[in-house]
Amino acid sequence: MADTHRRPRTAPPRSRIHRRLPGRVIGCATGAVALALSTLIGLPGTAQAATARQVERLDRGLTSTHTSSGNLVSWRWLATDPNDVAFNVYRAGTKLNSSPVTASTGYFDTGAQASAEYTVRPVVNGTEQASSERALQFRSGYLDVPISPPAGGTTPDGVAYTYEANDVSVGDLDGDGALEFVLKWYPTNAKDNSQSGYTGNTVIDAVKLDGTRLWRVDLGRNIRSGAHYTQFQVYDYDGDGKAEVAMKTADGTRDGTGAVIGSSSADHRNSSGYVLSGPEFLTMFNGRTGKAMGTVDYVPGRGTVSSWGDSYGNRVDRFLAGTAYLDGARPSLVMARGYYTRTVIAAWDWRNGAFARRWTFDTSSSTNSGKGYDGQGNHSLSVADVDADGKDEIVYGAMTVDDNGGGLWTTRLGHGDAAHLGDLNPSRAGLEYFKVSEDTGKPGSWMADARTGQILWQTASGADNGRGVAADVYAGSAGAEAWSASDTTLRSATGASLGREPSSMNFLSWWDGDPVRELLDGTRIDKYGTSGDTRLLTASGVHSNNGTKSTPSLSGDILGDWREEVVWPTTDNRALRVYSTPYQTNTRITTLLHDTQYRTALAWQNTAYNQPPHPSFFIGANMPTPPRPTVYTP
């Protein structure tokens, strides 16, 4: 393992055709019918035969970020808005713009005070629509969301611990159109699976943006704390307009109402602190109340511990999780176990208040055994429609599982720590996949066709390559660039050397005004340059997470326009500090929350070794007109 601390077909695919054409916007439950009709009658600019996907019904996510020159007001362009929607901006009820804003979803109010209050109103066919909610005020460039750490404790071997705010996910838990935070609290004695010792309990909070805590779930003593144990998913699985929260539970888990799952007195920890016996559960929690709505046995169960690769409890408890549109329209929950040897992935639907297992993929089954699927998993996974059939696949390290639970492809190039899936080379049809390798006898990094697994280019074999990134960070080369720890150069989308590597190889952020992406590492954001990087943000009073991985609690387009916010905990763990860009942009893109590849990537970002999200289409220098998603809201 590279780091025990978590640092870091012949015709063009239909999805590519859809990405190249602006789609008709669908904004209601009957959207699929409207889309079919528009396709049949051949309306111009209509997406071709695409199934509408369920997404969140969001508000404008309006923000006001104060700078020394005034306030940048920023809002969402929803997929349910018309293509030609415009906006009027109001400060304290007075319209500021002389003509409706059309070129972007932002407005700079020069000379305004940090306390100024803003709303926006969409303009459709010349008619002004209802007002938005009031803007969230980022008075010092950030917004603090108050949080309250759980009480610390002492383990059975006498070690005291406190709590630190760790990974965060988002979802509209109460159906009001605004996102809430779901926060994982780590005890200071959290352990990697390879490390023995007791840990404190893992605690999960749901928090509104004003700091109101909706609920707290205590996973209890029988869920060990560490990077590989608790991967929580936040998504609206049943389509009722409110997100649920799913995670692995055990005897003694206490839900948000105080009810206990299983036995409250059971203690399955052995003398080394591992939990290698006792029942294992999967629970779906109500997003608004934290109530456990349904609990089933976790699939797969641990069975014989040594069958996963060792006998002391390391590889048996390597869990991954994600969310995927396996039927092409509605989201399913994906829960997995194992990646160094045996791998099992279970897909679940949550419908009508109950779990239903859609399929199970097992590398040890008679169907898959010996076909090169075992031992290929990463410390994370990715989700996308890689074969352009309208349904999502699970890219699980160096192999991919189809939407129906069958194996799609494997490169047999083994385990690794980092991977990036997206339209990395827009001159090619389909998506591409960049991955680094941990095995010294395998290529240090490689780029593949995400549809087939065909290797497009690779770097030399060498040392355990623990870091790798792919994104368009340099406007001087077409498409995304890629770089990694064991390589010495920045590489083009086709593998050619471009010279100096960036100063970091961790996370990413669309932060300034252009569509070229920036570098996010620790508590700073830099812009790549061929002779040196330029600092754009140094966050103050905050800490990064996950040891040498130095990742934020969350990074993604969660508010305002399509640029990405970054969430770090404050140093005292009393607030989640949300930073929003102060830079203006002339680029207009539909909120990335309504691009389902990007949205599901936000959902799995917290899984094990956190990785940044990528949308289903290319954002970067000389990009084509961004597509409009084909979606509907509950």
Side-chain angles (χ1 to χ4, degrees), residues 234-289:
V234 183
Y235 223 87
D236 180 7
Y237 292 105
D238 59 6
D240 67 350
K242 296 182 286 292
E244 293 79 41
V245 181
M247 68 191 91
K248 183 175 181 284
T249 57
D251 279 340
T253 294
R254 190 176 298 274
D255 77 4
T257 70
V260 174
I261 296 171
S263 168
S264 61
S265 60
D267 188 344
H268 301 297
R269 296 171 295 181
N270 65 22
S271 59
S272 296
Y274 289 98
V275 180
L276 303 179
S277 63
E280 300 176 285
F281 306 127
L282 171 64
T283 298
M284 188 68 76
F285 295 90
N286 184 291
R288 185 175 58 83
T289 66

Side-chain angles (χ1 to χ4, degrees), residues 58-60 62 75-78 80-82 84-90 95 97 100-102 105 119-133 588:
L58 299 169
D59 63 18
R60 289 291 163 198
L62 188 65
W75 60 91
R76 296 176 179 134
W77 182 23
L78 304 172
T80 50
D81 288 326
D84 59 355
V85 66
F87 294 92
N88 289 330
V89 183
Y90 289 83
K95 189 169 75 169
N97 50 295
V101 178
T102 59
T105 48
T119 58
V120 296
R121 291 175 178 261
V123 180
V124 178
N125 295 327
T127 301
E128 195 174 66
Q129 309 296 304
S131 177
S132 71
E133 73 287 354
R588 181 162 119 152

Side-chain angles (χ1 to χ4, degrees), residues 99 324 341 356 533:
S99 60
T341 51
D533 299 340

Side-chain angles (χ1 to χ4, degrees), residues 577-595:
R577 183 160 289 175
V578 186
Y579 277 85
S580 184
T581 180
Y583 295 93
Q584 294 176 266
T585 182
N586 292 321
T587 300
R588 181 162 119 152
I589 301 175
T590 307
T591 176
L592 297 181
L593 290 166
H594 280 171
D595 179 88

Side-chain angles (χ1 to χ4, degrees), residues 474-489:
Y474 173 46
S477 179
E481 294 74 48
W483 66 104
S484 68
S486 67
D487 202 2
T488 59
T489 183

Side-chain angles (χ1 to χ4, degrees), residues 129-204:
Q129 309 296 304
S131 177
S132 71
E133 73 287 354
R134 288 192 299 181
L136 293 169
Q137 295 177 339
F138 290 66
R139 295 195 178 194
S140 300
Y142 58 78
L143 172 72
D144 275 354
V145 178
I147 54 177
S148 178
T154 304
T155 57
D157 54 355
V159 176
Y161 60 89
T162 56
Y163 279 90
E164 296 178 341
N166 190 252
D167 293 334
V168 163
S169 195
V170 291
D172 182 4
L173 302 179
D174 54 11
D176 65 354
L179 297 179
E180 282 76 43
F181 287 142
V182 178
L183 164 66
K184 177 166 65 175
W185 289 99
Y186 258 9
T188 50
N189 60 355
K191 307 288 185 185
D192 185 87
N193 297 46
S194 63
Q195 302 166 340
S196 63
Y198 293 97
T199 74
N201 298 358
T202 300
V203 176
I204 309 292

